[in-house]
């Protein structure tokens, strides 16, 4: 039985990926900061799919917390086959000069440093078993840069560079490294980006049918169900009405 650790499982893509992996029969470690949501998620996964689930509540920005969480894993959960680095966010959507430094810190610390901490912690067991799969949730923002998003885009460009660099360094250990790069998807992402302003968040998707979390779970399922000799480097997916970050055909 394969074991998967998913960061940011309390919402959006991470939650959908957790359900998809449970359907595939994986043993799961679901993580995030909201303890109530984690407890509810773990309960539902166990009930609906009869899979073993551990939930770990911590902030990926804090390496000590990441370390303690991973060290707390019981024996049969220690050998992780799949790490999904999904926890992430955009904070703010303003020109660089008007943006808040705390938003910059939050994006870089979560999207880049959190990914580094978790990858560094999980890698030793993958290297020991000479197999494993790291899937980084990147974004169209890792490929293109758009107005009022320079630091978020920079963080996702870093995710793409790390995905490529890890693939180079880890090929000798039989470890696959993939990414998924979605365009606009309606989750809690825009609510977080606009600091809780639900109306502003809703307006982002007005006039289009955005991607949803299941679409991203489809991509991740495709990646993890390929035969051993096939490694998917990246899957880019957009809503049909989105050509790139700025050409969006609204109804
Ligand atoms: P959501 O806001 O719905 O989910 C984000 C998840 O990340 C939550 O589970 C949240 O959990 C977790 N998270 C955020 N910060 C931290 C932290 N410091 N420590 C631990 N967990 C954290 O957004 P999405 O599902 O849309 O986003 C998931 C990923 O997909 C992100 O990396 C995002 O950048 C990327 N993405 C999103 C797109 C979109 O349009 N929605 C498109 C392309 C990429 P909690 O708050 O409980 O900690
Ligand atoms: C999230 C999608 O278009 O805001 O990564 O960059 S977008």
């Amino acid at each position: 039985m394969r074991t998967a650790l998913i960061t940011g499982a309390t919402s959006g893509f991470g939650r959908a990926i957790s359900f998809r992996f449970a359907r595939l029969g994986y043993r799961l470690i679901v993580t995030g900061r909201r303890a109530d949501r984690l407890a509810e998620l773990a309960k539902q996964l166990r009930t609906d799919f009869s899979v073993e689930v551990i939930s770990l509540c911590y902030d990926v920005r804090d390496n000590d917390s990441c370390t303690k969480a991973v060290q707390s894993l019981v024996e049969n959960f220690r050998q992780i086959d799949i790490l999904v680095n999904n926890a992430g966010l955009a904070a703010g959507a303003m020109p660089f000069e008007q943006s808040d430094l705390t938003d910059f810190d939050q994006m870089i610390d979560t999207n880049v440093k959190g990914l580094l901490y978790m990858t560094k912690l999980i890698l030793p067991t993958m290297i020991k078993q000479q197999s494993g799969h790291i899937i980084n949730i990147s974004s169209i923002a890792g490929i293109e840069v758009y107005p009022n998003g320079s630091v978020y885009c920079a963080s996702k460009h870093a995710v793409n560079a790390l995905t490529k660099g890890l693939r180079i360094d880890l090929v000798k250990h039989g470890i696959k490294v993939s990414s998924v790069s979605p365009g606009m998807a309606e989750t809690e992402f825009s609510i977080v980006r606009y600091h809780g302003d639900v109306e502003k968040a809703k307006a982002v998707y007005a006039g289009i049918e955005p991607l949803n979390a299941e679409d991203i779970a489809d991509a991740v399922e495709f990646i993890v169900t390929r035969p051993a000799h096939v490694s998917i480097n990246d899957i880019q997916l957009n809503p049909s009405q989105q050509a790139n970050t700025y050409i969006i055909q609204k109804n």
Side-chain angles (χ1 to χ4, degrees):
M1 186 190 293
R2 300 219 277 179
T3 302
L5 188 153
I6 301 141
T7 67
T10 56
S11 170
F13 302 168
R15 184 176 161 86
I17 295 163
S18 303
F19 277 93
R20 198 59 68 92
F21 280 2
R23 198 172 302 151
L24 292 170
Y26 293 179
R27 187 186 282 130
L28 290 174
I29 304 157
V30 291
T31 82
R33 290 167 302 177
R34 286 170 284 184
D36 51 341
R37 288 207 189 187
L38 281 175
E40 179 273 330
L41 172 67
K43 191 175 165 201
Q44 200 177 339
L45 291 168
R46 286 187 201 107
T47 309
D48 293 357
F49 301 96
S50 304
V51 289
E52 291 178 83
V53 185
I54 283 185
S55 63
L56 298 175
C57 187
Y58 64 92
D59 190 324
V60 295
R61 291 173 295 178
D62 179 0
N63 190 36
D64 284 345
S65 302
C66 296
T67 306
K68 278 185 196 132
V70 171
Q71 283 175 348
S72 76
L73 288 169
V74 291
E75 187 62 32
N76 60 335
F77 276 85
R78 284 205 187 136
Q79 196 166 309
I80 291 161
D81 303 290
I82 301 170
L83 167 65
V84 183
N85 283 311
N86 165 74
L89 79 161
M94 298 281 274
F96 183 94
E97 69 280 12
Q98 293 168 31
S99 300
D100 191 340
L101 204 52
T102 57
D103 284 346
F104 291 170
D105 282 337
Q106 198 183 2
M107 289 187 276
I108 300 294
D109 291 351
T110 311
N111 302 357
V112 183
K113 292 175 75 179
L115 180 150
L116 294 179
Y117 296 153
M118 289 308 298
T119 304
K120 198 89 175 87
L121 279 165
I122 303 305
L123 263 180
T125 55
M126 289 186 175
I127 290 172
K128 203 168 162 204
Q129 70 202 30
Q130 291 289 290
S131 70
H133 202 154
I134 298 167
I135 301 169
N136 294 328
I137 304 300
S138 185
S139 169
I140 191 171
I143 299 157
E144 298 173 34
V145 178
Y146 54 80
N148 304 331
S150 59
V151 175
Y152 178 66
C153 292
S155 75
K156 292 299 185 179
H157 274 65
V159 170
N160 285 358
L162 289 165
T163 302
K164 289 175 194 162
L166 283 164
R167 191 179 302 129
I168 291 165
D169 290 347
L170 298 177
V171 68
K172 60 181 173 293
H173 296 296
I175 298 169
K176 296 182 185 179
V177 186
S178 307
S179 58
V180 179
S181 303
M184 297 165 79
E186 192 163 10
T187 57
E188 293 178 11
F189 177 83
S190 289
I191 300 172
V192 172
R193 173 170 237 169
Y194 291 112
H195 304 296
D197 187 332
V198 176
E199 289 313 312
K200 237 181 180 172
K202 253 192 208 151
V204 172
Y205 309 106
I208 70 156
E209 183 173 351
L211 297 174
N212 57 60
E214 292 303 319
D215 298 321
I216 283 67
D218 286 344
V220 173
E221 179 174 357
F222 182 78
I223 288 172
V224 298
T225 53
R226 292 313 84 206
H229 71 284
V230 178
S231 177
I232 303 294
N233 292 346
D234 182 43
I235 294 183
Q236 295 177 30
L237 66 163
N238 280 356
S240 302
Q241 289 167 272
Q242 180 178 23
N244 60 25
T245 51
Y246 59 90
I247 298 183
I248 296 152
Q249 187 66 38
K250 296 220 171 195
N251 297 329

